[in-house]
């Protein structure tokens, strides 16, 4: 954890940058850094008022042994409908917040932690001042006031820490919670409600023998790979089991992990049906053999237990997959990608051996993961436990406990919305690039680390515009960016963008990017991995996915699990893959972040921002 001395220094630097940001982008931010919002705005008549507090707490995550020290959001309703909050007991997760489209919301936030903090309402389309930009981070003992109108359509979002360089560990220690939004279109549908509308927040954690959370502490390669825990929690509980009736349910699945990617699937091979993604219902249900869920993504699942025998059990797994991690990681964990419920989980032989709490996820046939050459995360490739990225393990068990006759039927149609195309954009021939590059402790977007007072020319967009954006892996780093885009900083300096393309329809291999991926550890295929790219502000739609001939060898194990037909705010970009999206920049001016939602990568400055003017 951060020491008070480092907190003070970081906060000093943060406010220094905040002042520079104000000077660089006048008329968009607050007038002065001292005017961080601590009181309500006159004339803003809130329909809902909440008080949120972030503080340390002790929670009983395990049935036996010590309580676990966590960081937790507590909330109480000051004004508004009585069902605005659903309190979750004996979990590190904050309460579920239920909003209705059109409500005006005011949140009083109190930081009672011993380190800086700010909340991001992930998935909600809100003004810059309420989006949780790290420039608004408040010190211990300080307050902040959020004010916004809920203009989202019905769907599932979540809230979590967004204090720069502290996000990953603060979320890991508990600072997150679900948000639901309802609207008239959703109410007109016969969807499961009440007890049949269930949260399903999936997270991985590692505990010591005293039930205390263990997190990386300066381990370079584990930060580069992303932290992977050895114990799976659902809604904050280990060995999650749900008692269900013989009817349909809506399970709102959230990947709340730092870096683990899940491949949701049933034990018996029954397909999964989705009715919503990332904060919005789909136009119609989509059924897949499995569903991929990257950090920050959500999917609303229609789980129907009609016809199941009382007493029967159905197990949901994260199924085995590959291609999401660097080639050496994949090679060293080959053969240890499967596990079964009920056996003893096998640990990696690295530095974390002996630190884990007794988990429930086991490997098949006694194959130890991560043992070769000291383990990819146990030796030269960082520190890790035995549950590899892409392994098969149990997520939750569903036990049928009661037979009922009434159940809603899966609607053939859900909601309607405009399908955006390249023709709706004003830059179809010159898409804005988001270039992913990787290296040890040097994860970057568009070749540059995050700076609160810096926006490149390509990151400046006009309010009301709709932009085509191309997200791709840029390796090799020798060709210059076409059209001479520059980086603009507070000092007026410029820097050429290297290793990325702009304004063409070339595939990665055609522009030399894929060829460059065969380079060394610093920028080539050895470090290439999948990245969940999250864009703040308004949601977007996915136009296309293209995989190069040099792309992920495991692409076949994941490709059928992407649901790209709805509104998104986070998209998983596989190695060698190019994803084109259409994003509106409407309603609000200001600075809005885009970053990798592998939270260790975000903390390594794999984050940039758009300036909407």
């Amino acid at each position: 954890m951060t020491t008070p001395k480092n907190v003070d220094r970081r906060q000093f630097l943060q406010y220094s940058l905040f002042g520079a940001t104000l000077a660089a982008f006048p008329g968009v931010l607050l007038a002065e850094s001292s005017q961080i919002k601590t009181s309500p705005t006159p004339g803003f008549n809130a329909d809902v008022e909440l008080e949120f507090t972030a503080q340390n707490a002790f929670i009983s995550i395990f049935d036996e042994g010590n309580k676990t020290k966590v960081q937790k959001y507590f909330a109480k309703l000051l004004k508004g409908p009585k069902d605005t909050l659903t309190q979750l007991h004996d979990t590190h997760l904050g309460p579920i917040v239920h909003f209705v489209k059109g409500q005006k919301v005011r949140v009083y936030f109190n930081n009672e932690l011993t380190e800086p903090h700010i909340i991001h309402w992930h998935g909600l389309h809100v003004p810059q001042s309420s989006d949780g930009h790290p420039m608004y981070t408040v010190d211990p003992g300080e307050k902040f006031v959020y004010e916004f109108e809920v203009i989202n359509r019905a769907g599932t979002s979540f809230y979590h820490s967004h204090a720069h360089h502290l996000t990953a560990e603060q979320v890991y220690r508990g600072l997150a919670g679900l948000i639901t939004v309802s609207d008239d279109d959703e109410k007109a549908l016969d969807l499961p409600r009440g007890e049949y509308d269930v949260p399903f927040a999936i997270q991985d954690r590692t505990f010591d023998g005293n039930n205390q959370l263990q997190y990386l502490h300066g381990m370079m390669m584990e930060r580069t790979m992303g932290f992977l825990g050895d114990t799976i929690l659902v809604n904050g509980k280990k060995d999650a089991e749900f008692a269900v009736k013989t009817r349909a349910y809506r399970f709102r699945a959230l990947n709340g992990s730092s870096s683990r990617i899940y491949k949701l699937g049933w034990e018996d091979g029954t397909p999964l049906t989705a009715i919503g993604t990332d904060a919005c219902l789909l136009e119609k249900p989509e059924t897949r053999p499995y569903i991929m869920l990257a950090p920050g993504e959500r999917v609303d699942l229609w789980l129907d237990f009609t016809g199941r025998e009382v007493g029967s059990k159905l197990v949901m797994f994260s199924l085995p997959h590959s291609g999401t991690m660097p080639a050496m990681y994949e090679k060293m964990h080959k053969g240890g990608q499967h596990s079964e419920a009920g056996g003893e989980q096998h640990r990696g032989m690295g530095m974390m051996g002996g630190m884990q709490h007794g988990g429930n996820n086991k490997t098949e046939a006694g194959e130890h993961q991560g043992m070769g050459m000291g383990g990819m995360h146990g030796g030269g490739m960082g520190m890790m436990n035995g549950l590899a990225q892409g392994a098969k393990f149990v997520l939750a068990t569903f036990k049928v406990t009661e037979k009922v006759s009434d159940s809603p039927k899966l609607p053939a149609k859900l909601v309607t919305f405009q399908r955006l195309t390249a023709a709706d954009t004003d830059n179809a021939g010159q898409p804005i690039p988001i270039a992913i590059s990787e290296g040890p402790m040097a994860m970057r977007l568009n070749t540059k680390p995050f700076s609160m007072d810096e926006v490149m020319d390509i990151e400046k967009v006009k309010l009301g515009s709709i932009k085509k954006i191309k997200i791709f892996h840029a390796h090799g780093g020798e060709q210059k960016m076409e059209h001479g885009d520059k980086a603009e900083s507070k000092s007026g300096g410029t820097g050429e963008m290297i290793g990325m393309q702009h304004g063409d329809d070339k595939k990665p291999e055609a522009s030399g990017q894929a060829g460059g991926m065969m380079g060394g550890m610093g920028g080539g295929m050895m470090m290439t991995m999948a990245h969940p790219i999250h864009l703040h502000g308004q949601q977007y739609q996915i136009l296309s996915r293209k995989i190069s001939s040099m792309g992920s060898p495991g692409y076949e194990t994941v490709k059928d699990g992407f649901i790209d037909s709805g509104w998104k705010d986070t998209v998983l970009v596989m190695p060698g893959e190019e994803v084109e999206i259409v994003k509106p920049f409407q309603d609000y001016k200001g600075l809005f972040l885009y970053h990798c939602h592998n939270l260790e990568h975000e903390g390594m400055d794999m984050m940039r921002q758009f300036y909407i003017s």
Side-chain angles (χ1 to χ4, degrees), residues 223-239:
R223 290 187 184 276
T224 302
M225 296 295 105
F227 182 85
L228 298 169
D230 72 339
T231 300
I232 302 301
L233 305 179
V234 174
N235 298 340
K237 292 297 182 182
K238 178 177 172 287
D239 301 331

Side-chain angles (χ1 to χ4, degrees), residues 362-561:
K362 317 283 178 119
T363 58
E364 291 178 351
E367 294 183 86
H368 290 256
Q369 303 177 48
M371 290 182 64
M373 296 173 62
M376 179 136 183
H377 282 248
M381 291 301 289
M383 186 177 75
M384 184 188 155
N385 57 75
L387 191 58
Q389 184 80 281
K392 179 183 177 182
F393 51 84
V394 173
L395 291 175
T397 300
F398 298 78
K399 182 177 181 180
V400 180
T401 59
E402 184 179 346
K403 185 174 182 179
V404 295
S405 57
D406 61 319
S407 178
K409 301 300 181 184
L410 179 65
K413 295 182 179 180
L414 295 166
V415 297
T416 59
F417 52 78
Q418 180 186 3
R419 286 296 309 169
L420 299 175
T421 69
D424 296 305
T425 69
D426 58 14
N427 68 329
Q430 291 188 322
I432 297 172
I434 297 180
I436 297 168
S437 58
E438 302 122 323
M441 295 304 288
M443 297 291 181
R444 297 289 182 260
L445 294 177
N446 288 341
T447 77
K448 298 179 70 65
F450 175 65
S451 178
M452 274 193 251
D453 61 336
E454 182 182 73
V455 172
M456 294 179 284
D457 287 341
I458 57 171
E459 296 169 328
K460 297 175 182 177
V461 297
K462 290 296 183 182
L463 182 69
S465 62
I466 301 176
K467 298 293 185 183
K468 182 179 179 181
I469 299 174
K470 179 159 54 180
I471 312 171
F472 59 95
H473 288 257
H475 294 282
E478 294 302 323
Q479 79 273 16
K480 293 181 180 180
M481 182 181 209
E482 299 181 17
H483 304 293
D485 282 292
K486 309 289 184 178
E488 179 180 293
S489 70
K490 61 181 179 182
S491 60
T494 60
E496 288 189 336
M497 297 291 294
I498 302 298
M500 49 193 295
Q501 65 199 34
H502 186 215
D504 62 353
D505 292 321
K506 297 176 184 177
K507 293 183 178 180
E509 66 271 23
S511 64
Q513 295 157 12
M517 283 193 285
M518 295 307 293
M521 287 290 290
M525 182 66 84
M526 292 294 287
M527 289 301 298
T528 301
M529 58 192 298
H531 294 272
I533 303 301
H534 171 49
L535 281 70
H536 286 222
Q538 200 162 358
Q539 294 190 320
Y540 53 81
Q541 294 178 16
I542 296 174
L543 282 179
S544 65
R545 290 180 182 266
K546 301 174 186 175
I547 188 74
S548 74
S549 59
M550 298 296 295
S552 169
Y555 198 73
E556 291 295 319
T557 70
V558 301
K559 67 181 181 65
D560 294 329

Side-chain angles (χ1 to χ4, degrees), residues 88-108:
L88 300 177
H89 302 287
D90 294 326
T91 174
H92 61 276
L93 293 170
I96 303 173
V97 183
H98 305 283
F99 289 138
V100 177
K101 183 180 180 181
Q103 285 179 332
K104 290 186 176 181
V105 177
R106 178 180 291 123
V107 179
Y108 298 91

